[in-house]
């Protein structure tokens, strides 16, 4: 078949070491000998007459075309359910043209390894497999030129014009159109396929032949890539616990007959969110560290101290796996988002200051405004709205647009049953760790304002209040860490936190409320001293919560201290002092100290009659 001459456009030249160093594995006689063409390594049986480079195509090709071994890594743990989904969709779909399936998910989830496992399992069902590296525009174009050279026996000659990309693509498509398959073509790492203005943008459809006997698998971090085909696609998310634990065992080489080790490994993979690449890196580190081999319980404390450093490590000697660290893959996606929608990248950072699960859209009610936001310790007056965008008003449409962009790059997933978004816990942690101390403080305060608004606007329904608790506590944790590094927190933020603590305890979440109230008490002690009325008020709230928790001795001790301080500071006749006496009497009664409680209650009643009058509601409540 003669191809029309095309003007040379993108020039592709031999790339030296990457291709020249490739080792090609051969299985059985079907896959034939290895052929080296134009500096690249290919494997297969070439059937037909070899003629000059400008004339005809090879009549057939069997085997595999790739730049590296088409096998998952040795320690790969099969994910059979996902592999079966790939097979079912490719084989059951009724389509007269190319069947294209997208395998998508977060960077590091294991998409490439899953597809390599599919290739290994079903390679004999295809006449040939063509693996195209689509992570970069240059690698995709290079592979197509090399594939063209292989199928048409075009030899690279120094000093002569290189084959253009357009010529190669048209030639490859023409070759497929006159052949009989079945064939499998994989485009691995096709992530930059959306923003046409991006310098690395790839029009992936342009490279896909359209014939009956071709199965195409595209792996991508982009969730919208699945929209390019009628097939549902396969989402690669977290591994199952048993799969993640098995992967950890294989790389760490720990003994399997120790129940304590097994439990610790389960705790480790849970902390890592069952993310395949993160588990691989952690287990490899354990396997190469003798002190962790003998004491695996030391890993998690070290990981929590050095999380950013450990996740920044690059995988070593993993064929067809990332040459980048977990964090680098996410940074790449983050910058792509920032280039297209800066507001979405900022919203993603804010999400790291909330809970990673059940991020429901009404949380960001942009029409809701609170009267109390001015009292929080905002940095230079920054609010959560202004931090997302200073250029335009943040409305519900902008928030939806931001979430759509984050979902497109698999940073969040929509959970239909909960009607909310979820973020992988490692992405959530990375979004926090990647910031400087000042940035962490700024975002924690801006998100705290969002939390305050959500509390004030959540209504009276208990389920609505309870749904806020994980976000309240996640934000409080970030706020507390930021204040520890900045040597304290301001009076206004402590006042708001006191209100948040009351909100939490009022809905029966006493343990969480106690943590916040202890923080407020310690903060006011640092700011005002132990004798200040606001400090005493914080002590009263904490004592009340201790009583609700059933810790009556500790509650009574603290309430007695509140009473003594109010007597000394405010005087015995002050209403707050009398209220403190009444609170202590109630706790003494709960402890069974009925005589002392009764004596104290009589004193409360007499004082309220004398000071407030017999008709006052507080006097009546004391009767």
């Amino acid at each position: 078949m003669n191809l029309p001459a095309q003007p040379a456009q993108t020039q592709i030249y031999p790339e030296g070491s990457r291709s020249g160093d490739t080792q090609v594995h051969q299985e059985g006689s079907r896959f034939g000998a290895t052929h080296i063409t134009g500096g690249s390594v290919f494997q297969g049986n070439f059937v037909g007459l070899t003629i000059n480079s400008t004339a005809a195509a090879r009549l057939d090709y069997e085997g595999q075309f790739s730049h590296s071994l088409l096998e998952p890594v040795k320690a790969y743990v099969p994910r059979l359910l996902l592999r079966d989904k790939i097979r079912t969709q490719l084989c059951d779909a009724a389509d007269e043209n190319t069947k294209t399936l997208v395998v998508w998910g977060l960077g590091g989830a294991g998409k490439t390894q899953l597809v390599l496992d599919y290739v290994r399992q079903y390679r004999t069902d295809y006449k040939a497999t063509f693996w195209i590296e689509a992570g970069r525009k240059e690698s995709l174009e290079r592979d197509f030129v090399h594939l063209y050279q292989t199928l048409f026996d075009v030899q690279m000659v120094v000093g002569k014009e290189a084959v253009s990309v357009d010529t190669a693509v048209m030639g490859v498509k023409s070759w497929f159109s006159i052949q009989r398959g079945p064939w499998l073509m994989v485009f691995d790492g096709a992530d930059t396929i959306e923003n046409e203005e991006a310098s690395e943008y790839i029009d992936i459809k342009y490279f896909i032949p359209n014939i009956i006997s071709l199965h195409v698998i595209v792996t991508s971090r982009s969730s919208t890539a699945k929209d390019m085909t009628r097939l549902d696609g396969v989402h690669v998310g977290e591994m199952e616990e048993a799969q993640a634990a098995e992967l950890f065992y294989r790389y760490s080489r720990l003994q399997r007959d120790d129940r304590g080790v097994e439990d610790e490994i389960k705790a480790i993979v849970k902390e890592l969110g069952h993310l395949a690449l993160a588990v691989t890196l952690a287990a490899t580190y354990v396997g190469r560290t003798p002190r962790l081999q003998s004491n695996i319980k030391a890993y998690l404390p070290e990981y929590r101290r050095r999380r950013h450093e450990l996740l920044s490590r690059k995988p070593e000697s993993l064929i067809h796996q990332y040459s980048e660290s977990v964090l680098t893959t996410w940074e790449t996606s983050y910058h792509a988002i920032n280039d297209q929608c800066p507001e979405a990248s900022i919203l993603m950072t804010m999400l790291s200051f909330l809970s990673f699960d059940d991020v429901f859209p009404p949380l960001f009610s942009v029409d809701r405004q609170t009267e109390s936001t001015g009292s929080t310790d905002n940095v230079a007056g920054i609010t959560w709205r202004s931090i997302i965008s200073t250029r335009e008003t943040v409305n519900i449409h902008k928030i939806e647009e931001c979430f759509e962009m984050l979902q497109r790059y698999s940073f969040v997933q929509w959970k239909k049953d909960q009607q909310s978004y979820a973020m992988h816990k490692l992405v959530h942690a990375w979004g926090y760790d990647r910031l400087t101390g000042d940035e962490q403080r700024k975002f924690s305060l801006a998100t705290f304002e969002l939390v305050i608004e959500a509390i004030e606007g959540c209504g009276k329904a208990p389920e609505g209040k309870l749904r806020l608790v994980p976000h309240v506590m996640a934000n409080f944790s970030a706020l507390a860490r930021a204040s520890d590094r900045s040597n304290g927190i301001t009076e206004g933020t402590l006042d708001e936190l006191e209100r948040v603590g009351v909100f939490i305890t009022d809905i029966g979440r006493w343990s969480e409320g106690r943590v916040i109230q202890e923080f407020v008490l310690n903060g006011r002690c640092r700011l005002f001293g132990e004798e200040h009325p606001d400090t005493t008020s914080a002590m009263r709230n904490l004592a009340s919560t201790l009583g609700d928790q059933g810790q009556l001795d500790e509650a009574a001790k603290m309430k007695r201290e509140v009473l003594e301080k109010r007597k000394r500071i405010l005087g015995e006749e002050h209403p707050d002092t009398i209220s403190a006496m009444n609170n202590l009497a109630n706790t003494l009664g709960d402890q069974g100290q009925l005589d002392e409680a009764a004596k104290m209650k009589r004193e409360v009643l007499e004082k309220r009659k004398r000071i407030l009058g017999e008709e006052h509601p507080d006097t009546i409540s004391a009767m």
Side-chain angles (χ1 to χ4, degrees), residues 248-531:
F248 194 95
Y249 269 119
R250 293 186 181 187
Y251 276 103
S252 66
R253 301 188 296 276
L254 292 172
Q255 296 296 321
R256 295 174 180 264
D257 55 357
D258 188 322
R259 181 58 184 269
V261 170
E262 180 183 348
D263 291 342
E264 192 64 22
I265 286 176
K266 288 181 179 178
I268 291 172
V269 298
K270 181 179 180 181
E271 182 87 4
L272 297 173
H274 304 122
L275 187 73
L277 184 54
V279 172
T280 298
L281 295 175
T284 301
Y285 176 64
V286 170
R288 296 179 179 178
T289 309
R291 62 180 170 80
L292 295 176
Q293 284 276 304
S294 59
N295 181 22
I296 186 61
K297 289 184 179 294
Y299 176 79
L300 270 181
E302 179 178 351
Y303 166 77
R304 288 165 181 157
R305 292 193 308 270
R306 303 172 58 209
R307 179 174 62 199
H308 190 274
E309 176 188 347
L310 293 175
L311 290 179
S312 296
R313 291 173 175 264
K314 293 184 178 181
E316 300 176 7
S317 302
L318 298 180
I319 298 173
H320 271 300
Q321 199 165 32
Y322 291 107
S323 59
E324 303 169 325
S325 71
V326 179
L327 304 190
T328 304
T329 66
W330 296 342
E331 284 287 354
T332 302
S333 296
Y334 176 86
H335 288 299
I337 291 171
N338 188 60
D339 288 343
Q340 297 175 68
C341 180
E343 297 84 359
S345 65
I346 295 171
L347 177 63
M348 197 207 78
T349 302
M350 283 187 61
L351 295 181
S352 292
F353 294 80
L354 298 170
S355 174
F356 62 86
D357 193 26
D358 194 30
V359 184
F360 50 97
L363 187 63
F364 299 86
S365 179
V366 293
D367 298 326
R368 184 177 57 217
Q369 195 73 39
T370 156
E371 299 177 358
S372 59
T373 54
S375 65
T376 56
D377 182 26
N378 283 332
V379 180
I382 293 176
T383 67
W384 74 266
R385 293 172 178 80
S386 66
I387 206 172
I388 288 179
S389 178
T390 57
R391 301 176 304 171
E392 57 183 294
T393 301
V394 177
N395 54 33
I396 188 61
H397 305 296
K398 174 56 69 174
I399 294 295
E400 290 172 345
E401 177 187 338
C402 290
F403 272 112
E404 181 183 353
M405 180 62 67
L406 296 180
Q407 190 174 14
R408 185 178 302 172
Y409 281 85
S410 301
F411 275 143
V412 299
Q413 294 81 42
W414 176 253
K415 290 189 173 181
K416 188 175 181 180
D417 56 337
Q418 293 182 323
Q419 290 293 293
S420 64
Y421 293 97
M423 174 182 280
H424 191 281
K425 64 190 303 183
L426 278 191
V427 175
H428 182 267
W430 161 74
Y432 180 90
D433 290 342
R434 67 188 298 275
L435 303 177
T436 65
D438 288 343
E439 289 171 331
Q440 289 171 352
R441 182 169 181 266
K442 179 177 72 172
F443 274 96
S444 64
L445 289 167
T447 311
F448 181 53
E449 182 213 18
L450 171 67
V451 168
I452 295 296
E453 287 189 20
I455 288 174
E456 295 184 349
C458 70
K460 297 181 179 180
E463 57 271 19
K465 294 180 178 180
L466 288 170
R467 197 175 189 185
L468 282 175
V469 172
H471 298 296
V472 170
M473 298 310 298
N475 178 251
F476 166 73
S477 178
L479 194 63
R481 291 198 301 271
S483 69
D484 287 344
R485 284 190 294 272
S486 61
N487 298 317
I489 202 165
T490 66
E491 178 182 357
T493 302
L494 287 173
D495 290 345
E496 293 288 12
L497 277 173
E498 183 175 52
R499 295 175 56 220
V500 171
V502 171
F503 168 80
I504 293 293
T505 55
D506 281 351
I507 58 178
R509 300 299 290 263
W510 299 311
S511 296
E512 293 93 337
R514 176 179 176 175
V515 173
I516 295 176
Q517 289 168 344
E518 287 175 338
F519 181 85
V520 172
L521 175 58
N522 292 331
R524 285 180 172 168
C525 282
R526 287 196 302 268
L527 280 178
F528 310 126
E530 295 186 358
E531 302 294 308

Side-chain angles (χ1 to χ4, degrees), residues 594-606:
L594 302 181
D595 291 342
E596 186 177 0
K599 178 182 177 181
M600 199 170 286
K601 283 183 176 291
R602 283 195 295 270
E603 186 176 352
V604 168
L605 178 59
E606 292 303 319

